[in-house]
């Protein structure tokens, strides 16, 4: 997770709004890609990350988080209208830092890393893909719920 040290010096947004920072959740949108086929799950997560890496707002954040080289390559591919190449430019390091892949019951430990980095409200965005995207999504939600109950 890329949250350590995030934030500008000086008063936080919560303090500027007259709120106690301890009363404000730190939310993090986490791309997740569930599949028993790890390669397939990683491929979909890379596609999702590449889409975000093509947007200027996220480019700035991801560059600050140490992914400048990857973002330049993703943006170049995206500008050339080559989304497959953009996805290939998502490094293993980016994938590890930004996404949950594979089987949902293995994600608790990874989510804990986000929490250890300061996230108090992890938002797990479940992607859907494959020959039956609806079934993939429903299975991911089911497996996640069953493993965390």
């Amino acid at each position: 997770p890329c949250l350590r040290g995030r934030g500008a010096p000086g008063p936080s947004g919560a303090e500027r709004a007259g709120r106690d920072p301890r009363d404000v959740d730190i939310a993090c949108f986490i791309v997740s890609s569930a599949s028993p086929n790890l390669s397939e799950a990683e491929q979909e997560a890379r596609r999702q990350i590449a889409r975000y890496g093509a947007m200027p707002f996220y480019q700035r954040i991801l560059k600050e988080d140490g992914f400048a080289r990857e973002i330049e390559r993703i943006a170049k591919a995206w500008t050339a209208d080559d989304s497959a190449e953009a996805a290939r430019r998502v490094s293993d390091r980016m994938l590890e830092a930004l996404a949950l892949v594979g089987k949902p019951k293995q994600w608790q430990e990874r989510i804990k890393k986000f929490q250890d980095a300061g996230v108090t409200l992890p938002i797990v965005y479940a992607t859907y893909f494959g020959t039956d995207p609806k079934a993939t999504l429903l299975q991911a939600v089911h497996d996640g719920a069953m493993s965390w109950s």
Side-chain angles (χ1 to χ4, degrees):
C2 306
L3 293 174
R4 281 220 194 279
R6 168 120 3 243
S12 70
E15 292 167 323
R16 288 191 303 273
R19 296 183 64 189
D20 185 333
R22 294 171 296 195
D23 294 337
V24 177
D25 279 320
I26 305 297
C28 184
F29 186 82
I30 307 167
V31 170
S32 68
S33 182
S35 174
N37 180 326
L38 186 59
S39 177
E40 183 179 79
E42 288 177 349
Q43 184 178 21
E44 179 58 25
R46 288 179 198 279
R47 280 194 292 267
Q48 295 293 328
I49 293 168
R51 286 187 186 116
Y52 285 98
M55 295 181 233
F57 174 79
Y58 292 105
Q59 286 175 354
R60 181 184 56 78
I61 293 169
L62 291 166
K63 285 177 181 178
E64 289 174 6
D65 286 339
F67 299 112
R69 185 175 178 183
E70 292 97 327
I71 291 303
E72 294 302 325
R73 291 175 175 173
I74 289 167
K76 183 178 179 182
W78 203 267
T79 301
D81 202 26
D82 190 346
S83 60
E85 179 62 19
R88 283 191 292 274
R89 294 303 185 171
V90 173
S91 68
D92 291 345
R93 186 172 67 94
M94 284 183 86
L95 189 65
E96 174 68 22
L98 303 173
L100 305 171
V101 296
K103 298 177 183 177
K105 58 181 131 184
Q106 299 167 335
W107 294 352
Q108 280 184 326
E109 185 177 313
R110 293 274 298 117
I111 290 172
K112 174 112 174 59
K113 289 182 181 182
F114 282 89
Q115 292 169 320
D116 291 345
V119 172
T120 57
L121 182 61
I123 301 168
V124 177
Y125 166 65
T127 61
Y128 48 96
F129 57 95
T131 56
D132 188 349
K134 181 179 177 183
T136 300
L137 178 60
L138 292 175
Q139 188 65 51
V141 170
H142 173 269
D143 291 351
M146 295 308 292
S147 66
W148 296 335
S149 57

